[in-house]
Amino acid sequence: MSDLSVLREWTPLSCSPELIKESREKFGGKIILSGIIQRANTLNQNGRVYPRPILEREIMNYQKLIRENRALGECDHPDSSVVELKNVSHIVREAYMQGDNVYGKIEILDTPSGKIIQSLIESGVTLGISSRGVGSTVNQSGNQVVQDDFQLICFDMVSEPSTPGAFMLKEHKISRRELDKFFNQSDKIDRMFNDILRW
């Protein structure tokens, strides 16, 4: 089988001191962030376009991780396709599509990496949220269009690029065997079931 690339995308998150205070009061001291976390049919900063049917499918599959409290994300993008528990900073509580936008609700966790994110947010730093997944792309009219083999892994918290359009993310190849380490048998069955329901 062919190797797949790790694909990462960046979207800015904004949060004011008032929103932080309101979030802590409403959610018992927790910081909850919400907003657009990904977009379909839109050329992103990495020159990629995610077709809506592919993104809809992956957000539907991601619901299982949300339900099972496994929709974890890291502080910064690692080189790996595996979410490392020692680096987890947040958990996605909701993710849904509305038009071409994917909206999400994220809870910042009280972990060492989560404390870094909390401190940055409370200091007024603009952070981004970035999807991480595996799949291939095909060049169409100068844009890299994400293909049907794409699988969403998680959403990571990342820093904002200093120059617009200059946020460069490393890609590396992973094998199907490495991908199998992330998705358990139940996840794979759920994906197949969702694919059958789509048709």
Side-chain angles (χ1 to χ4, degrees):
M1 289 188 194
S2 64
D3 287 342
L4 304 173
S5 293
V6 176
L7 305 177
R8 302 174 181 107
E9 309 307 336
W10 180 85
T11 305
L13 284 177
S14 59
C15 195
S16 67
E18 296 80 29
L19 286 175
I20 294 169
K21 182 179 178 198
E22 181 182 321
S23 175
R24 286 191 181 276
E25 290 171 358
K26 186 175 179 182
F27 298 106
K30 298 176 183 176
I31 294 178
I32 307 290
L33 304 176
S34 59
I36 296 172
I37 59 175
Q38 179 63 286
R39 283 194 170 98
N41 298 326
T42 304
L43 182 64
N44 64 34
Q45 292 180 4
N46 294 327
R48 292 191 200 106
V49 175
Y50 286 76
R52 184 172 172 175
I54 292 171
L55 205 48
E56 281 179 330
R57 179 197 70 206
E58 289 308 301
I59 293 303
M60 183 172 64
N61 289 331
Y62 197 65
Q63 300 306 307
K64 182 176 190 288
L65 297 179
I66 293 172
R67 283 191 308 271
E68 295 176 354
N69 289 319
R70 296 191 300 135
L72 302 170
E74 295 186 47
C75 175
D76 287 323
H77 272 316
D79 289 331
S80 171
S81 60
V82 177
V83 176
E84 297 282 344
L85 293 180
K86 65 185 177 187
N87 299 324
V88 166
S89 59
H90 61 280
I91 185 167
V92 177
R93 294 297 185 187
E94 289 180 22
Y96 62 92
M97 288 202 70
Q98 189 171 6
D100 283 343
N101 294 327
V102 179
Y103 291 89
K105 186 177 284 188
I106 295 146
E107 176 185 336
I108 306 302
L109 298 174
D110 198 27
T111 60
S113 292
K115 288 180 189 300
I116 291 170
I117 297 297
Q118 287 176 30
S119 176
L120 292 170
I121 290 170
E122 289 169 348
S123 296
V125 174
T126 300
L127 297 176
I129 185 135
S130 183
S131 64
R132 185 175 10 144
V134 293
S136 62
T137 61
V138 170
N139 190 316
Q140 293 179 1
S141 304
N143 300 325
Q144 295 298 316
V145 178
V146 174
Q147 297 301 291
D148 197 50
D149 60 359
F150 175 71
Q151 293 184 42
L152 175 66
I153 293 173
C154 67
F155 292 94
D156 294 321
M157 298 296 286
V158 295
S159 61
E160 183 178 14
S162 58
T163 305
F167 192 79
M168 305 306 292
L169 297 169
K170 288 183 3 185
E171 292 189 4
H172 76 282
K173 301 289 184 184
I174 68 161
S175 66
R176 285 280 178 188
R177 180 175 285 158
E178 186 179 357
L179 183 60
D180 286 343
K181 293 177 186 174
F182 180 76
F183 295 110
N184 64 34
Q185 192 65 30
S186 173
D187 296 334
K188 293 173 194 167
I189 292 168
D190 198 51
R191 283 181 159 279
M192 287 188 282
F193 185 69
N194 285 339
D195 280 342
I196 291 167
L197 288 178
R198 273 190 23 203
W199 304 107

